[in-house]
Amino acid sequence: MLALRLTRSARTAVQLRRLLVTAASAGTGFLLLSTLGHALGHPDPASSALRLAWCAVPLAATVYFAIAVARTDPGTRPRPGLSAIGLGPARLMAVSAATTALSCALGSLLALLVFLQLRGDLTGMPSDGTATDFLATGRPLPLPAALTLLALVPLSASAAVAVALRPREPAAGAASAGRTYGRFGAYRRTAVRESFGAYGRFGKHLGAAARGRRTAEAAPEREGTAEEAPGTAVGTEPAGSGPAVPLTPPSGLPWGIAVLAVGLAVEAFASRAGGGGAPGDRPSALLGLALTAVGLALAGPGLAHLCGRLLQTVRPGALRLLAGRVLMTEATRIGRPLGVVCAVLSAAYAMASLHDREDASAGPLVVLGVLLVAGCTTATLLTAAVEAKQARAGTTAALRRLGAATGTLRRAAVLRAGALLALFGPLTLVVAELSAWPLAR
């Protein structure tokens, strides 16, 4: 009931994102049902298993989009005072998982109704055409198998949301930044055990707090230039809610480059081995294509961090310094979905040269799958941008109180988007061409 109330009372933008999750779940459910219809009409189990394996890609894209929508839901975000009425982080996580399950279950129900309508089970008038053999018209539809396939999306999405939003213990060293309770109700648990009454000595905890402030103030000076201090303040989140600007790139960049190179090498080996143009006849080519996509996704945060670094090179002004520091702070949040979008675009371009155009029966399903994956990844990127805007809302408000013009903040946002497009756009084209060239031979 609480999940239904939070769903009903959400804002228009939140409801729109949930409807998009429902639409993505409906598309994935229809693809899963089409594999069942193909299995009923064709006795070849290998072909049906291959079609079911292809459904893993839109299923993963739908789950990824559902996680992004759940993370930006303001109704299930932990806030002060909610734990007193029984809405702690664990309860809000459960509510968010239940809301995701409801949205996906509604999409699965819509997919079942559309599939039954096209089969003619509801109206008695099935659709005709050469590209509708996946409907298995005239054959009884096994309801347990259909419900099992339709339950994959709600169960997977709700479980992934529960894992992504689960309450986490504070990292080592983060306890001193926040307020924790030590022995006898004292604030700030220390590493050295204190004797009884030691905390109550006059000025003991004040001296520790002053030493902590001096350490934080001396950190920018140890990094080098004096202009990095205001940039660090710009890239941080509101007080007590996030870390400072990461000066080291994310650790996934070397691994992403290595996996990308391995994927391109596997595709080149598949082109030399030959084996036909159908996707099922070239598993090594599909493996190389998958490794290439994974490499781009892993390298995305590191490349976004590199963009922030490049914006601040060669005597940056206030605008470039602001855009670069914010981009470095949001490298993981924005870079990962951006890398996934680039991977999807390059894989779609490469698959266009590998797809068997003579198989007209799979044409509508292929188009639906490509649109579903591309739409989910693009919507995830836009949702991540909304999440990043929400995360830096306190910093933006502080800059405006200090006199920063609204036009300056907008120009910094445009500069960040332009820098990302200038790096990821040519990279996507190059990877797509390198992937398509050996597969088309």
Side-chain angles (χ1 to χ4, degrees):
M1 293 301 296
L2 181 59
L4 288 176
R5 291 178 181 178
L6 291 176
T7 302
R8 185 179 57 184
S9 61
R11 295 178 300 177
T12 305
V14 179
Q15 297 285 15
L16 179 61
R17 290 195 290 266
R18 290 172 179 169
L19 288 178
L20 291 178
V21 173
T22 301
S25 176
T28 305
F30 187 84
L31 290 177
L32 290 171
L33 289 177
S34 68
T35 60
L36 178 60
H38 183 272
L40 292 176
H42 298 78
D44 186 11
S47 177
S48 301
L50 180 61
R51 285 174 175 259
L52 185 61
W54 276 111
C55 292
V57 179
L59 176 62
T62 303
V63 171
Y64 190 46
F65 179 46
I67 294 175
V69 171
R71 289 173 61 92
T72 56
D73 192 349
T76 57
R77 185 176 302 161
R79 293 184 296 274
L82 291 181
S83 298
I85 59 175
L87 292 178
R91 181 73 181 277
L92 290 177
M93 177 268 296
V95 170
S96 190
T99 303
T100 304
L102 288 175
S103 301
C104 295
L106 179 59
S108 298
L109 179 60
L110 292 177
L112 180 60
L113 292 178
V114 172
F115 189 77
L116 294 178
Q117 174 68 26
L118 293 178
R119 278 173 48 90
D121 295 338
L122 300 180
T123 60
M125 299 178 61
S127 301
D128 53 351
T130 58
T132 58
D133 61 339
F134 57 87
L135 297 176
T137 305
R139 294 179 176 86
L141 183 67
L143 189 59
L147 294 180
T148 301
L149 290 176
L150 291 177
L152 288 178
V153 181
L155 292 179
S156 302
S158 58
V161 168
V163 172
L165 301 183
R166 70 186 185 278
R168 294 177 174 86
E169 294 293 333
S176 59
R179 174 176 291 184
T180 57
Y181 293 90
R183 295 192 303 163
F184 308 107
Y187 294 141
R188 194 180 49 81
R189 182 180 295 129
T190 57
V192 182
R193 297 181 60 86
E194 299 174 345
S195 61
F196 178 78
Y199 185 83
R201 295 171 187 166
F202 180 75
K204 183 175 179 61
H205 60 287
L206 298 178
R211 287 194 300 270
R213 286 195 299 269
R214 287 196 299 268
T215 303
E217 292 173 358
E221 298 178 0
R222 290 196 301 267
E223 286 300 328
T225 61
E227 64 183 13
E228 291 184 356
T232 304
V234 166
T236 57
E237 298 177 0
S241 64
V245 175
L247 297 177
T248 58
S251 58
L253 182 58
W255 289 102
I257 296 175
V259 174
L260 178 62
V262 171
L264 293 176
V266 171
E267 292 177 9
F269 174 78
S271 67
R272 294 175 62 90
D281 297 335
R282 309 180 70 178
S284 58
L286 298 181
L287 176 62
L289 194 62
L291 290 176
T292 303
V294 171
L296 278 176
L298 289 176
L303 294 176
H305 193 277
L306 179 61
C307 286
R309 281 288 192 184
L310 294 178
L311 281 177
Q312 302 174 73
T313 56
V314 192
R315 302 180 63 180
L319 184 62
R320 284 199 292 145
L321 187 63
L322 174 64
R325 284 306 172 99
V326 171
L327 191 55
M328 289 170 62
T329 306
E330 300 172 354
T332 302
R333 184 180 285 114
I334 297 295
R336 185 173 293 113
L338 186 57
V340 172
V341 170
C342 295
V344 168
L345 293 178
S346 61
Y349 183 85
M351 286 303 300
S353 61
L354 192 62
H355 177 61
D356 187 7
R357 295 176 176 82
E358 297 180 357
D359 188 8
S361 61
L365 298 180
V366 170
V367 173
L368 176 61
V370 171
L371 292 179
L372 185 62
V373 174
C376 285
T377 52
T378 304
T380 302
L381 177 60
L382 297 178
T383 306
V386 172
E387 182 186 4
K389 183 178 180 180
Q390 294 175 354
R392 65 172 184 270
T395 302
T396 304
L399 288 174
R400 289 178 177 175
R401 287 195 301 267
L402 292 174
T406 305
T408 302
L409 299 178
R410 291 177 180 174
R411 287 195 296 271
V414 172
L415 186 59
R416 293 196 303 270
L420 292 175
L421 183 61
L423 179 61
F424 282 89
L427 177 63
T428 304
L429 293 177
V430 170
V431 173
E433 288 291 342
L434 290 178
S435 300
W437 177 67
L439 296 179
R441 296 178 59 185

